[in-house]
């Protein structure tokens, strides 16, 4: 995989500053005030040195960055009536100690499609966006791919816990249900970020074989969705409320 870099902003102790997020689809890296952080999930970014940064410079919880806001934009491929197009995904993440809040906004052809409320993880936020996209428009990212799945268990990480089965495509195409995914688990290629995309992407089936443990994308909601409200201006950093003390 080739690294991608996304320009953004960090707000935390000591104010705000521009940053660059870098990922290879698996590991995330960011440098803030000369300190390098790395992790497989956005809520697991820990100092690369393995030792806490200068006392008071950052808020950490279990060794990972917290008590801050990250905001960045990234190019996101979408399929429009089968043709590949490039959209932009705006990400606004409040890293709180207990429950991170995530807002995603997909910008395409002058329209903005929002995850509509704070979500607890990237899978839920991207699912919310896919549900409100017009017919014929589909996200082309790992969360929507025919060869991705989560471990059959309750709960999931904020990001990065999505398994890729591109190395065993034919076997996964026949997988349906928890047992089938467990049988293939040790043959997975690795874990990927939900917002990542590669050249081996295929649209996920809507039902039956090939939907694995997690099912289709987007899965039908368990409860009827609330009626959509008119789009409001993009959430600001201040709208997320005060950051928590250490």
């Amino acid at each position: 995989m080739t690294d991608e870099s996304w320009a953004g902003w960090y707000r935390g102790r000591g104010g705000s500053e521009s940053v660059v997020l870098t990922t290879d689809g698996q590991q995330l890296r960011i440098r803030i005030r000369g300190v390098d952080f790395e992790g497989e999930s956005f809520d697991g970014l820990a100092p690369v040195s393995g030792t806490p940064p200068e006392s008071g410079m950052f808020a950490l919880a279990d060794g990972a960055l917290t008590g801050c806001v990250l905001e960045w934009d990234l190019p996101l491929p979408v399929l429009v009536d089968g043709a590949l197009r490039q959209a932009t995904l705006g990400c606004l993440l409040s890293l709180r100690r207990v429950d991170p809040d995530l807002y995603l906004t997909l910008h395409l052809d002058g329209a903005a499609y929002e995850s509509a409320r704070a979500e607890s993880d990237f899978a839920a936020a991207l699912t919310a966006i896919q549900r409100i996209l017009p017919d014929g428009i589909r996200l082309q990212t790992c969360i929507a791919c025919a060869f991705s799945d989560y471990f059959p268990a309750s709960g999931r990480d904020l990001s990065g816990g999505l398994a890729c089965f591109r190395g065993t495509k034919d076997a996964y195409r026949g997988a349906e249900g928890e047992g089938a995914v467990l049988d293939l688990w040790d043959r997975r290629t690795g874990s990927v970020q939900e917002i990542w995309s590669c050249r081996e992407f295929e649209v996920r089936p809507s039902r039956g074989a090939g939907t694995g443990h997690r099912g289709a994308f987007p899965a039908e909601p368990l409860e009827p969705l609330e009626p959509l409200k008119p789009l409001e201006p993009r959430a600001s950093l201040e709208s997320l409320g005060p950051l928590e003390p250490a």
Side-chain angles (χ1 to χ4, degrees), residues 31-195:
R31 171 173 287 188
I32 308 171
R33 297 171 186 156
V35 178
D36 291 318
F37 292 83
E38 186 176 75
E40 293 183 357
S41 179
F42 282 96
D43 57 352
L45 295 169
V48 172
S49 64
T51 58
E54 181 181 346
S55 178
M57 186 182 296
F58 301 99
L60 300 176
D62 297 325
L65 192 65
T66 189
C68 66
V69 172
L70 297 175
E71 183 176 16
W72 70 101
D73 291 336
L74 65 129
L76 195 84
V78 296
L79 292 171
V80 180
D81 294 327
L84 183 62
R85 297 276 299 282
Q86 203 71 19
T88 298
L89 186 70
C91 307
L92 185 62
L93 172 63
S94 175
L95 280 175
R96 302 182 185 276
R97 290 182 182 276
V98 180
D99 296 314
D101 285 339
L102 174 67
Y103 295 80
L104 299 182
T105 306
L106 184 75
H107 298 272
L108 177 66
D109 294 336
Y113 305 95
E114 300 182 349
S115 55
R117 65 183 187 275
E119 297 286 3
S120 59
D121 59 65
F122 278 82
L126 290 167
T127 295
I129 288 176
Q130 181 62 69
R131 284 179 181 149
I132 63 174
L133 288 176
D135 291 343
I137 301 179
R138 295 191 61 87
L139 303 179
Q140 186 174 311
T141 66
C142 288
I143 190 63
C145 182
F147 309 118
S148 63
D149 213 328
Y150 289 106
F151 185 77
S154 60
R156 60 187 175 224
D157 295 332
L158 172 65
S159 68
L162 187 64
C164 173
F165 291 91
R166 68 181 184 276
T168 181
K169 293 178 183 178
D170 289 341
Y172 188 83
R173 284 192 178 100
E176 181 181 4
E178 177 179 319
V181 173
L182 285 174
D183 289 341
L184 290 174
W185 193 254
D186 290 341
R187 298 171 62 186
R188 67 192 186 281
T189 304
S191 296
V192 292
Q193 298 294 323
E194 289 80 355
I195 50 179

Side-chain angles (χ1 to χ4, degrees), residues 204-239:
R204 194 168 185 83
S206 59
R207 62 181 60 85
T211 55
H213 162 65
R214 69 183 182 93
F217 177 85
E220 290 298 321
L222 298 179
E223 298 178 358
L225 293 176
E226 297 180 1
L228 293 177
K229 298 178 180 179
L231 291 178
E232 299 177 354
R234 184 176 179 180
S236 65
L237 297 180
E238 287 72 19
S239 70

